Amino acid sequence: MPSGNTAMLVLKLLEAQDMYGYQIIEELSQKSEEVFKLKTGTLYPLLHSLENDGTITSYDQTTDAQRVRTYYKLTPKGSGLLAKKQDEWQAYTRAVNLVMDGGAGYAHA
């Protein structure tokens, strides 16, 4: 996967709802039919980087079992970045598909 697209996928998940780390890993795996299996060693540095950039924020919430979980939430800046990354992804996949299909204007026999 091209560089930076893991961030796009995480931001897309957070667009739908606030999530904690393990939930992000599980949702991404489930929604991708097990193609994307993030490890905690990949996810948490990414989350911290996104938080430092101001694209997400975090907050702690106590569960029913009195366990404190850190949830991550998309910010308005994050929504803008997600829109930009989605546009870039559309352009990228269109270009790949054009090449794979023989190129623009290619006459199929």
Side-chain angles (χ1 to χ4, degrees), residues 9-10 13-14 16-31 36 38 40 43-44 47 59 61 63 67 69-73:
L9 296 174
V10 169
L13 291 176
L14 294 176
Q17 69 182 43
D18 299 358
M19 293 185 190
Y20 57 93
Y22 183 73
Q23 184 181 12
I24 292 170
I25 290 170
E26 289 296 308
E27 284 286 317
L28 185 58
S29 180
Q30 178 187 16
K31 288 183 183 288
F36 301 121
L38 283 182
T40 57
L43 178 63
Y44 286 101
L47 290 171
Y59 61 92
Q61 186 169 340
T63 66
R67 183 175 179 200
R69 285 195 174 132
T70 300
Y71 282 80
Y72 298 90
K73 177 184 177 99

Side-chain angles (χ1 to χ4, degrees), residues 59-106:
Y59 61 92
D60 291 337
Q61 186 169 340
T62 304
T63 66
D64 292 340
Q66 299 304 311
R67 183 175 179 200
V68 177
R69 285 195 174 132
T70 300
Y71 282 80
Y72 298 90
K73 177 184 177 99
L74 193 65
T75 65
K77 181 179 179 181
S79 294
L81 178 61
L82 175 59
K84 179 182 173 200
K85 291 227 175 254
Q86 285 178 298
D87 288 345
E88 290 171 356
W89 180 254
Q90 292 299 322
Y92 174 82
T93 57
R94 181 179 181 281
V96 168
N97 287 332
L98 285 171
V99 171
M100 296 304 291
D101 292 337
Y106 179 76

